[in-house]
PDB file of all heavy atoms in Angstrom:
ATOM      1  N   LEU A   1      -2.734   6.386 -10.181  1.00 98.00           N
ATOM      2  CA  LEU A   1      -1.945   5.247  -9.716  1.00 98.00           C
ATOM      3  C   LEU A   1      -0.448   5.502  -9.904  1.00 98.00           C
ATOM      4  O   LEU A   1       0.382   5.045  -9.109  1.00 98.00           O
ATOM      5  CB  LEU A   1      -2.378   3.989 -10.470  1.00 98.00           C
ATOM      6  CG  LEU A   1      -1.837   2.650  -9.976  1.00 98.00           C
ATOM      7  CD1 LEU A   1      -2.423   2.298  -8.623  1.00 98.00           C
ATOM      8  CD2 LEU A   1      -2.158   1.548 -10.986  1.00 98.00           C
ATOM      9  N   LYS A   2      -0.110   6.228 -10.956  1.00 98.00           N
ATOM     10  CA  LYS A   2       1.291   6.534 -11.256  1.00 98.00           C
ATOM     11  C   LYS A   2       1.946   7.336 -10.136  1.00 98.00           C
ATOM     12  O   LYS A   2       3.172   7.269  -9.952  1.00 98.00           O
ATOM     13  CB  LYS A   2       1.355   7.311 -12.575  1.00 98.00           C
ATOM     14  CG  LYS A   2       2.723   7.817 -12.964  1.00 98.00           C
ATOM     15  CD  LYS A   2       2.688   8.530 -14.317  1.00 98.00           C
ATOM     16  CE  LYS A   2       4.054   9.079 -14.697  1.00 98.00           C
ATOM     17  NZ  LYS A   2       4.059   9.710 -16.022  1.00 98.00           N
ATOM     18  N   TYR A   3       1.142   8.062  -9.376  1.00 98.00           N
ATOM     19  CA  TYR A   3       1.690   8.973  -8.371  1.00 98.00           C
ATOM     20  C   TYR A   3       1.554   8.436  -6.947  1.00 98.00           C
ATOM     21  O   TYR A   3       1.791   9.177  -5.987  1.00 98.00           O
ATOM     22  CB  TYR A   3       1.022  10.340  -8.527  1.00 98.00           C
ATOM     23  CG  TYR A   3       1.311  10.918  -9.894  1.00 98.00           C
ATOM     24  CD1 TYR A   3       0.367  10.851 -10.911  1.00 98.00           C
ATOM     25  CD2 TYR A   3       2.566  11.454 -10.186  1.00 98.00           C
ATOM     26  CE1 TYR A   3       0.647  11.333 -12.178  1.00 98.00           C
ATOM     27  CE2 TYR A   3       2.854  11.939 -11.452  1.00 98.00           C
ATOM     28  CZ  TYR A   3       1.898  11.873 -12.446  1.00 98.00           C
ATOM     29  OH  TYR A   3       2.192  12.338 -13.707  1.00 98.00           O
ATOM     30  N   VAL A   4       1.207   7.162  -6.808  1.00 98.00           N
ATOM     31  CA  VAL A   4       1.251   6.533  -5.492  1.00 98.00           C
ATOM     32  C   VAL A   4       2.722   6.399  -5.096  1.00 98.00           C
ATOM     33  O   VAL A   4       3.538   5.885  -5.871  1.00 98.00           O
ATOM     34  CB  VAL A   4       0.579   5.145  -5.529  1.00 98.00           C
ATOM     35  CG1 VAL A   4       0.820   4.394  -4.224  1.00 98.00           C
ATOM     36  CG2 VAL A   4      -0.918   5.291  -5.804  1.00 98.00           C
ATOM     37  N   PRO A   5       3.126   6.874  -3.923  1.00 98.00           N
ATOM     38  CA  PRO A   5       4.557   6.848  -3.543  1.00 98.00           C
ATOM     39  C   PRO A   5       5.158   5.446  -3.631  1.00 98.00           C
ATOM     40  O   PRO A   5       4.584   4.468  -3.146  1.00 98.00           O
ATOM     41  CB  PRO A   5       4.534   7.342  -2.090  1.00 98.00           C
ATOM     42  CG  PRO A   5       3.308   8.195  -2.005  1.00 98.00           C
ATOM     43  CD  PRO A   5       2.292   7.546  -2.891  1.00 98.00           C
ATOM     44  N   GLY A   6       6.308   5.363  -4.300  1.00 98.00           N
ATOM     45  CA  GLY A   6       7.070   4.126  -4.379  1.00 98.00           C
ATOM     46  C   GLY A   6       6.539   3.087  -5.346  1.00 98.00           C
ATOM     47  O   GLY A   6       7.036   1.954  -5.370  1.00 98.00           O
ATOM     48  N   ILE A   7       5.590   3.456  -6.166  1.00 98.00           N
ATOM     49  CA  ILE A   7       4.941   2.447  -6.996  1.00 98.00           C
ATOM     50  C   ILE A   7       5.740   2.109  -8.248  1.00 98.00           C
ATOM     51  O   ILE A   7       6.421   2.964  -8.829  1.00 98.00           O
ATOM     52  CB  ILE A   7       3.512   2.887  -7.387  1.00 98.00           C
ATOM     53  CG1 ILE A   7       2.658   1.672  -7.773  1.00 98.00           C
ATOM     54  CG2 ILE A   7       3.545   3.907  -8.537  1.00 98.00           C
ATOM     55  CD1 ILE A   7       1.177   1.949  -7.771  1.00 98.00           C
ATOM     56  N   GLU A   8       5.681   0.861  -8.663  1.00 98.00           N
ATOM     57  CA  GLU A   8       6.145   0.366  -9.954  1.00 98.00           C
ATOM     58  C   GLU A   8       5.081  -0.573 -10.470  1.00 98.00           C
ATOM     59  O   GLU A   8       4.646  -1.478  -9.762  1.00 98.00           O
ATOM     60  CB  GLU A   8       7.480  -0.383  -9.836  1.00 98.00           C
ATOM     61  CG  GLU A   8       8.667   0.480  -9.483  1.00 98.00           C
ATOM     62  CD  GLU A   8       9.958  -0.336  -9.488  1.00 98.00           C
ATOM     63  OE1 GLU A   8      10.423  -0.731 -10.579  1.00 98.00           O
ATOM     64  OE2 GLU A   8      10.473  -0.591  -8.389  1.00 98.00           O
ATOM     65  N   PHE A   9       4.681  -0.374 -11.717  1.00 98.00           N
ATOM     66  CA  PHE A   9       3.579  -1.157 -12.267  1.00 98.00           C
ATOM     67  C   PHE A   9       4.006  -2.588 -12.581  1.00 98.00           C
ATOM     68  O   PHE A   9       5.108  -2.841 -13.065  1.00 98.00           O
ATOM     69  CB  PHE A   9       3.057  -0.519 -13.560  1.00 98.00           C
ATOM     70  CG  PHE A   9       2.264   0.741 -13.361  1.00 98.00           C
ATOM     71  CD1 PHE A   9       2.084   1.308 -12.113  1.00 98.00           C
ATOM     72  CD2 PHE A   9       1.676   1.379 -14.450  1.00 98.00           C
ATOM     73  CE1 PHE A   9       1.348   2.480 -11.939  1.00 98.00           C
ATOM     74  CE2 PHE A   9       0.942   2.539 -14.301  1.00 98.00           C
ATOM     75  CZ  PHE A   9       0.777   3.093 -13.045  1.00 98.00           C
ATOM     76  N   ARG A  10       3.104  -3.514 -12.309  1.00 98.00           N
ATOM     77  CA  ARG A  10       3.168  -4.898 -12.794  1.00 98.00           C
ATOM     78  C   ARG A  10       4.498  -5.590 -12.456  1.00 98.00           C
ATOM     79  O   ARG A  10       5.174  -6.119 -13.329  1.00 98.00           O
ATOM     80  CB  ARG A  10       2.905  -4.950 -14.296  1.00 98.00           C
ATOM     81  CG  ARG A  10       1.603  -4.292 -14.716  1.00 98.00           C
ATOM     82  CD  ARG A  10       1.400  -4.336 -16.209  1.00 98.00           C
ATOM     83  NE  ARG A  10       1.000  -5.671 -16.653  1.00 98.00           N
ATOM     84  CZ  ARG A  10       1.108  -6.102 -17.903  1.00 98.00           C
ATOM     85  NH1 ARG A  10       1.651  -5.325 -18.815  1.00 98.00           N
ATOM     86  NH2 ARG A  10       0.709  -7.315 -18.235  1.00 98.00           N
ATOM     87  N   THR A  11       4.813  -5.574 -11.193  1.00 98.00           N
ATOM     88  CA  THR A  11       6.000  -6.271 -10.720  1.00 98.00           C
ATOM     89  C   THR A  11       5.814  -6.529  -9.226  1.00 98.00           C
ATOM     90  O   THR A  11       4.777  -6.173  -8.650  1.00 98.00           O
ATOM     91  CB  THR A  11       7.274  -5.462 -11.006  1.00 98.00           C
ATOM     92  OG1 THR A  11       8.429  -6.256 -10.703  1.00 98.00           O
ATOM     93  CG2 THR A  11       7.313  -4.166 -10.207  1.00 98.00           C
ATOM     94  N   ASP A  12       6.789  -7.142  -8.614  1.00 98.00           N
ATOM     95  CA  ASP A  12       6.704  -7.475  -7.193  1.00 98.00           C
ATOM     96  C   ASP A  12       6.935  -6.211  -6.365  1.00 98.00           C
ATOM     97  O   ASP A  12       7.973  -6.032  -5.745  1.00 98.00           O
ATOM     98  CB  ASP A  12       7.731  -8.559  -6.861  1.00 98.00           C
ATOM     99  CG  ASP A  12       7.518  -9.139  -5.471  1.00 98.00           C
ATOM    100  OD1 ASP A  12       6.481  -8.828  -4.852  1.00 98.00           O
ATOM    101  OD2 ASP A  12       8.384  -9.891  -5.007  1.00 98.00           O
ATOM    102  N   ASN A  13       5.936  -5.349  -6.388  1.00 98.00           N
ATOM    103  CA  ASN A  13       6.012  -4.036  -5.752  1.00 98.00           C
ATOM    104  C   ASN A  13       4.791  -3.882  -4.853  1.00 98.00           C
ATOM    105  O   ASN A  13       3.650  -3.961  -5.329  1.00 98.00           O
ATOM    106  CB  ASN A  13       6.040  -2.949  -6.833  1.00 98.00           C
ATOM    107  CG  ASN A  13       5.907  -1.547  -6.273  1.00 98.00           C
ATOM    108  OD1 ASN A  13       4.791  -1.028  -6.166  1.00 98.00           O
ATOM    109  ND2 ASN A  13       7.018  -0.926  -5.937  1.00 98.00           N
ATOM    110  N   GLN A  14       5.017  -3.663  -3.567  1.00 98.00           N
ATOM    111  CA  GLN A  14       3.914  -3.698  -2.617  1.00 98.00           C
ATOM    112  C   GLN A  14       2.873  -2.608  -2.845  1.00 98.00           C
ATOM    113  O   GLN A  14       1.669  -2.890  -2.794  1.00 98.00           O
ATOM    114  CB  GLN A  14       4.442  -3.639  -1.182  1.00 98.00           C
ATOM    115  CG  GLN A  14       3.429  -4.127  -0.147  1.00 98.00           C
ATOM    116  CD  GLN A  14       2.994  -5.563  -0.390  1.00 98.00           C
ATOM    117  OE1 GLN A  14       3.816  -6.456  -0.605  1.00 98.00           O
ATOM    118  NE2 GLN A  14       1.682  -5.796  -0.392  1.00 98.00           N
ATOM    119  N   PRO A  15       3.247  -1.352  -3.105  1.00 98.00           N
ATOM    120  CA  PRO A  15       2.207  -0.349  -3.371  1.00 98.00           C
ATOM    121  C   PRO A  15       1.323  -0.720  -4.552  1.00 98.00           C
ATOM    122  O   PRO A  15       0.100  -0.528  -4.503  1.00 98.00           O
ATOM    123  CB  PRO A  15       3.015   0.927  -3.644  1.00 98.00           C
ATOM    124  CG  PRO A  15       4.291   0.727  -2.891  1.00 98.00           C
ATOM    125  CD  PRO A  15       4.592  -0.737  -3.010  1.00 98.00           C
ATOM    126  N   PHE A  16       1.940  -1.267  -5.610  1.00 98.00           N
ATOM    127  CA  PHE A  16       1.127  -1.668  -6.760  1.00 98.00           C
ATOM    128  C   PHE A  16       0.223  -2.839  -6.413  1.00 98.00           C
ATOM    129  O   PHE A  16      -0.971  -2.852  -6.756  1.00 98.00           O
ATOM    130  CB  PHE A  16       2.011  -2.028  -7.955  1.00 98.00           C
ATOM    131  CG  PHE A  16       1.218  -2.521  -9.137  1.00 98.00           C
ATOM    132  CD1 PHE A  16       0.506  -1.634  -9.915  1.00 98.00           C
ATOM    133  CD2 PHE A  16       1.162  -3.877  -9.448  1.00 98.00           C
ATOM    134  CE1 PHE A  16      -0.262  -2.082 -11.001  1.00 98.00           C
ATOM    135  CE2 PHE A  16       0.411  -4.332 -10.516  1.00 98.00           C
ATOM    136  CZ  PHE A  16      -0.303  -3.433 -11.290  1.00 98.00           C
ATOM    137  N   LYS A  17       0.764  -3.840  -5.724  1.00 98.00           N
ATOM    138  CA  LYS A  17      -0.029  -5.013  -5.382  1.00 98.00           C
ATOM    139  C   LYS A  17      -1.190  -4.637  -4.464  1.00 98.00           C
ATOM    140  O   LYS A  17      -2.302  -5.176  -4.590  1.00 98.00           O
ATOM    141  CB  LYS A  17       0.857  -6.085  -4.746  1.00 98.00           C
ATOM    142  CG  LYS A  17       1.849  -6.706  -5.722  1.00 98.00           C
ATOM    143  CD  LYS A  17       2.534  -7.956  -5.180  1.00 98.00           C
ATOM    144  CE  LYS A  17       3.406  -7.672  -3.993  1.00 98.00           C
ATOM    145  NZ  LYS A  17       4.129  -8.890  -3.540  1.00 98.00           N
ATOM    146  N   ASN A  18      -0.945  -3.700  -3.561  1.00 98.00           N
ATOM    147  CA  ASN A  18      -2.025  -3.255  -2.677  1.00 98.00           C
ATOM    148  C   ASN A  18      -3.169  -2.641  -3.483  1.00 98.00           C
ATOM    149  O   ASN A  18      -4.350  -2.935  -3.248  1.00 98.00           O
ATOM    150  CB  ASN A  18      -1.501  -2.242  -1.660  1.00 98.00           C
ATOM    151  CG  ASN A  18      -0.592  -2.867  -0.622  1.00 98.00           C
ATOM    152  OD1 ASN A  18      -0.568  -4.079  -0.443  1.00 98.00           O
ATOM    153  ND2 ASN A  18       0.176  -2.032   0.069  1.00 98.00           N
ATOM    154  N   ALA A  19      -2.810  -1.753  -4.423  1.00 98.00           N
ATOM    155  CA  ALA A  19      -3.836  -1.081  -5.226  1.00 98.00           C
ATOM    156  C   ALA A  19      -4.550  -2.072  -6.140  1.00 98.00           C
ATOM    157  O   ALA A  19      -5.782  -2.039  -6.269  1.00 98.00           O
ATOM    158  CB  ALA A  19      -3.203   0.043  -6.039  1.00 98.00           C
ATOM    159  N   MET A  20      -3.783  -2.945  -6.775  1.00 98.00           N
ATOM    160  CA  MET A  20      -4.367  -3.932  -7.690  1.00 98.00           C
ATOM    161  C   MET A  20      -5.305  -4.869  -6.950  1.00 98.00           C
ATOM    162  O   MET A  20      -6.418  -5.148  -7.411  1.00 98.00           O
ATOM    163  CB  MET A  20      -3.262  -4.730  -8.371  1.00 98.00           C
ATOM    164  CG  MET A  20      -3.768  -5.870  -9.231  1.00 98.00           C
ATOM    165  SD  MET A  20      -2.401  -6.793  -9.958  1.00 98.00           S
ATOM    166  CE  MET A  20      -3.261  -8.263 -10.534  1.00 98.00           C
ATOM    167  N   GLN A  21      -4.876  -5.361  -5.786  1.00 98.00           N
ATOM    168  CA  GLN A  21      -5.714  -6.262  -5.014  1.00 98.00           C
ATOM    169  C   GLN A  21      -6.981  -5.551  -4.540  1.00 98.00           C
ATOM    170  O   GLN A  21      -8.078  -6.136  -4.560  1.00 98.00           O
ATOM    171  CB  GLN A  21      -4.948  -6.810  -3.813  1.00 98.00           C
ATOM    172  CG  GLN A  21      -5.752  -7.810  -2.984  1.00 98.00           C
ATOM    173  CD  GLN A  21      -4.912  -8.488  -1.918  1.00 98.00           C
ATOM    174  OE1 GLN A  21      -3.760  -8.104  -1.687  1.00 98.00           O
ATOM    175  NE2 GLN A  21      -5.460  -9.496  -1.279  1.00 98.00           N
ATOM    176  N   GLY A  22      -6.849  -4.300  -4.171  1.00 98.00           N
ATOM    177  CA  GLY A  22      -8.006  -3.551  -3.706  1.00 98.00           C
ATOM    178  C   GLY A  22      -9.074  -3.422  -4.770  1.00 98.00           C
ATOM    179  O   GLY A  22     -10.270  -3.620  -4.495  1.00 98.00           O
ATOM    180  N   PHE A  23      -8.664  -3.111  -6.004  1.00 98.00           N
ATOM    181  CA  PHE A  23      -9.659  -2.969  -7.065  1.00 98.00           C
ATOM    182  C   PHE A  23     -10.227  -4.324  -7.471  1.00 98.00           C
ATOM    183  O   PHE A  23     -11.434  -4.448  -7.715  1.00 98.00           O
ATOM    184  CB  PHE A  23      -9.061  -2.263  -8.283  1.00 98.00           C
ATOM    185  CG  PHE A  23     -10.063  -2.078  -9.389  1.00 98.00           C
ATOM    186  CD1 PHE A  23     -11.061  -1.123  -9.267  1.00 98.00           C
ATOM    187  CD2 PHE A  23     -10.026  -2.867 -10.531  1.00 98.00           C
ATOM    188  CE1 PHE A  23     -12.008  -0.953 -10.267  1.00 98.00           C
ATOM    189  CE2 PHE A  23     -10.965  -2.699 -11.543  1.00 98.00           C
ATOM    190  CZ  PHE A  23     -11.960  -1.736 -11.410  1.00 98.00           C
ATOM    191  N   THR A  24      -9.373  -5.342  -7.555  1.00 98.00           N
ATOM    192  CA  THR A  24      -9.861  -6.680  -7.899  1.00 98.00           C
ATOM    193  C   THR A  24     -10.895  -7.150  -6.884  1.00 98.00           C
ATOM    194  O   THR A  24     -11.954  -7.687  -7.242  1.00 98.00           O
ATOM    195  CB  THR A  24      -8.690  -7.676  -7.969  1.00 98.00           C
ATOM    196  OG1 THR A  24      -7.723  -7.209  -8.921  1.00 98.00           O
ATOM    197  CG2 THR A  24      -9.171  -9.058  -8.383  1.00 98.00           C
ATOM    198  N   LEU A  25     -10.601  -6.935  -5.595  1.00 98.00           N
ATOM    199  CA  LEU A  25     -11.527  -7.317  -4.531  1.00 98.00           C
ATOM    200  C   LEU A  25     -12.835  -6.528  -4.654  1.00 98.00           C
ATOM    201  O   LEU A  25     -13.926  -7.084  -4.437  1.00 98.00           O
ATOM    202  CB  LEU A  25     -10.882  -7.068  -3.168  1.00 98.00           C
ATOM    203  CG  LEU A  25     -11.700  -7.489  -1.937  1.00 98.00           C
ATOM    204  CD1 LEU A  25     -11.976  -8.984  -1.951  1.00 98.00           C
ATOM    205  CD2 LEU A  25     -10.963  -7.092  -0.659  1.00 98.00           C
ATOM    206  N   LYS A  26     -12.727  -5.244  -5.004  1.00 98.00           N
ATOM    207  CA  LYS A  26     -13.929  -4.421  -5.189  1.00 98.00           C
ATOM    208  C   LYS A  26     -14.843  -5.036  -6.247  1.00 98.00           C
ATOM    209  O   LYS A  26     -16.061  -5.160  -6.038  1.00 98.00           O
ATOM    210  CB  LYS A  26     -13.512  -3.011  -5.603  1.00 98.00           C
ATOM    211  CG  LYS A  26     -14.655  -2.091  -6.013  1.00 98.00           C
ATOM    212  CD  LYS A  26     -15.442  -1.605  -4.833  1.00 98.00           C
ATOM    213  CE  LYS A  26     -16.511  -0.607  -5.251  1.00 98.00           C
ATOM    214  NZ  LYS A  26     -17.304  -0.130  -4.093  1.00 98.00           N
ATOM    215  N   ILE A  27     -14.284  -5.436  -7.376  1.00 98.00           N
ATOM    216  CA  ILE A  27     -15.082  -5.998  -8.463  1.00 98.00           C
ATOM    217  C   ILE A  27     -15.641  -7.365  -8.073  1.00 98.00           C
ATOM    218  O   ILE A  27     -16.827  -7.656  -8.296  1.00 98.00           O
ATOM    219  CB  ILE A  27     -14.255  -6.089  -9.752  1.00 98.00           C
ATOM    220  CG1 ILE A  27     -13.830  -4.687 -10.207  1.00 98.00           C
ATOM    221  CG2 ILE A  27     -15.035  -6.792 -10.852  1.00 98.00           C
ATOM    222  CD1 ILE A  27     -14.977  -3.739 -10.496  1.00 98.00           C
ATOM    223  N   VAL A  28     -14.812  -8.218  -7.500  1.00 98.00           N
ATOM    224  CA  VAL A  28     -15.278  -9.549  -7.110  1.00 98.00           C
ATOM    225  C   VAL A  28     -16.401  -9.445  -6.088  1.00 98.00           C
ATOM    226  O   VAL A  28     -17.434 -10.130  -6.196  1.00 98.00           O
ATOM    227  CB  VAL A  28     -14.113 -10.399  -6.572  1.00 98.00           C
ATOM    228  CG1 VAL A  28     -14.632 -11.666  -5.883  1.00 98.00           C
ATOM    229  CG2 VAL A  28     -13.162 -10.783  -7.703  1.00 98.00           C
ATOM    230  N   ASN A  29     -16.249  -8.590  -5.097  1.00 98.00           N
ATOM    231  CA  ASN A  29     -17.300  -8.436  -4.094  1.00 98.00           C
ATOM    232  C   ASN A  29     -18.585  -7.878  -4.697  1.00 98.00           C
ATOM    233  O   ASN A  29     -19.694  -8.243  -4.282  1.00 98.00           O
ATOM    234  CB  ASN A  29     -16.817  -7.541  -2.952  1.00 98.00           C
ATOM    235  CG  ASN A  29     -15.849  -8.253  -2.022  1.00 98.00           C
ATOM    236  OD1 ASN A  29     -15.756  -9.478  -2.032  1.00 98.00           O
ATOM    237  ND2 ASN A  29     -15.117  -7.495  -1.220  1.00 98.00           N
ATOM    238  N   MET A  30     -18.444  -6.984  -5.667  1.00 98.00           N
ATOM    239  CA  MET A  30     -19.630  -6.454  -6.342  1.00 98.00           C
ATOM    240  C   MET A  30     -20.355  -7.560  -7.095  1.00 98.00           C
ATOM    241  O   MET A  30     -21.590  -7.666  -7.049  1.00 98.00           O
ATOM    242  CB  MET A  30     -19.227  -5.332  -7.307  1.00 98.00           C
ATOM    243  CG  MET A  30     -20.388  -4.751  -8.093  1.00 98.00           C
ATOM    244  SD  MET A  30     -19.878  -3.424  -9.192  1.00 98.00           S
ATOM    245  CE  MET A  30     -19.516  -2.148  -8.000  1.00 98.00           C
ATOM    246  N   MET A  31     -19.597  -8.404  -7.778  1.00 98.00           N
ATOM    247  CA  MET A  31     -20.207  -9.514  -8.511  1.00 98.00           C
ATOM    248  C   MET A  31     -20.872 -10.494  -7.538  1.00 98.00           C
ATOM    249  O   MET A  31     -21.970 -10.995  -7.791  1.00 98.00           O
ATOM    250  CB  MET A  31     -19.156 -10.241  -9.347  1.00 98.00           C
ATOM    251  CG  MET A  31     -18.476  -9.400 -10.423  1.00 98.00           C
ATOM    252  SD  MET A  31     -19.609  -8.693 -11.640  1.00 98.00           S
ATOM    253  CE  MET A  31     -19.669  -6.974 -11.092  1.00 98.00           C
ATOM    254  N   LYS A  32     -20.214 -10.760  -6.418  1.00 98.00           N
ATOM    255  CA  LYS A  32     -20.802 -11.665  -5.417  1.00 98.00           C
ATOM    256  C   LYS A  32     -22.085 -11.074  -4.839  1.00 98.00           C
ATOM    257  O   LYS A  32     -23.079 -11.791  -4.645  1.00 98.00           O
ATOM    258  CB  LYS A  32     -19.797 -11.937  -4.301  1.00 98.00           C
ATOM    259  CG  LYS A  32     -18.656 -12.872  -4.671  1.00 98.00           C
ATOM    260  CD  LYS A  32     -17.746 -13.109  -3.463  1.00 98.00           C
ATOM    261  CE  LYS A  32     -16.635 -14.085  -3.778  1.00 98.00           C
ATOM    262  NZ  LYS A  32     -15.752 -14.322  -2.605  1.00 98.00           N
ATOM    263  N   ALA A  33     -22.064  -9.778  -4.537  1.00 98.00           N
ATOM    264  CA  ALA A  33     -23.244  -9.142  -3.953  1.00 98.00           C
ATOM    265  C   ALA A  33     -24.444  -9.227  -4.888  1.00 98.00           C
ATOM    266  O   ALA A  33     -25.593  -9.311  -4.432  1.00 98.00           O
ATOM    267  CB  ALA A  33     -22.935  -7.683  -3.610  1.00 98.00           C
ATOM    268  N   GLU A  34     -24.193  -9.209  -6.188  1.00 98.00           N
ATOM    269  CA  GLU A  34     -25.256  -9.306  -7.181  1.00 98.00           C
ATOM    270  C   GLU A  34     -25.509 -10.748  -7.611  1.00 98.00           C
ATOM    271  O   GLU A  34     -26.310 -10.992  -8.512  1.00 98.00           O
ATOM    272  CB  GLU A  34     -24.907  -8.445  -8.407  1.00 98.00           C
ATOM    273  CG  GLU A  34     -24.774  -6.966  -8.120  1.00 98.00           C
ATOM    274  CD  GLU A  34     -26.109  -6.299  -7.833  1.00 98.00           C
ATOM    275  OE1 GLU A  34     -27.156  -6.879  -8.212  1.00 98.00           O
ATOM    276  OE2 GLU A  34     -26.112  -5.210  -7.220  1.00 98.00           O
ATOM    277  N   ARG A  35     -24.806 -11.701  -6.989  1.00 98.00           N
ATOM    278  CA  ARG A  35     -24.938 -13.130  -7.273  1.00 98.00           C
ATOM    279  C   ARG A  35     -24.731 -13.417  -8.766  1.00 98.00           C
ATOM    280  O   ARG A  35     -25.532 -14.094  -9.418  1.00 98.00           O
ATOM    281  CB  ARG A  35     -26.292 -13.664  -6.801  1.00 98.00           C
ATOM    282  CG  ARG A  35     -26.555 -13.425  -5.317  1.00 98.00           C
ATOM    283  CD  ARG A  35     -27.735 -14.223  -4.807  1.00 98.00           C
ATOM    284  NE  ARG A  35     -27.468 -15.650  -4.854  1.00 98.00           N
ATOM    285  CZ  ARG A  35     -26.752 -16.333  -3.959  1.00 98.00           C
ATOM    286  NH1 ARG A  35     -26.206 -15.692  -2.920  1.00 98.00           N
ATOM    287  NH2 ARG A  35     -26.574 -17.628  -4.083  1.00 98.00           N
TER     288      ARG A  35
END
């Protein structure tokens, strides 16, 4: 994650927000799929 171009952790930074949202969505969808 540190080497994603233009990234800054835990701030209003689009590359970080994209990655964070992607993983959060992955976990939430997994939990939903398993009810």
Side-chain angles (χ1 to χ4, degrees):
L1 190 69
K2 175 178 178 177
Y3 299 101
V4 171
I7 202 163
E8 292 184 71
F9 287 3
R10 305 179 76 199
T11 188
D12 191 9
N13 171 268
Q14 199 59 48
F16 177 75
K17 291 192 295 184
N18 290 343
M20 174 182 166
Q21 182 172 8
F23 181 74
T24 303
L25 183 61
K26 172 75 176 179
I27 297 300
V28 168
N29 285 344
M30 178 179 289
M31 298 301 104
K32 286 182 177 180
E34 298 289 340
R35 303 193 66 80

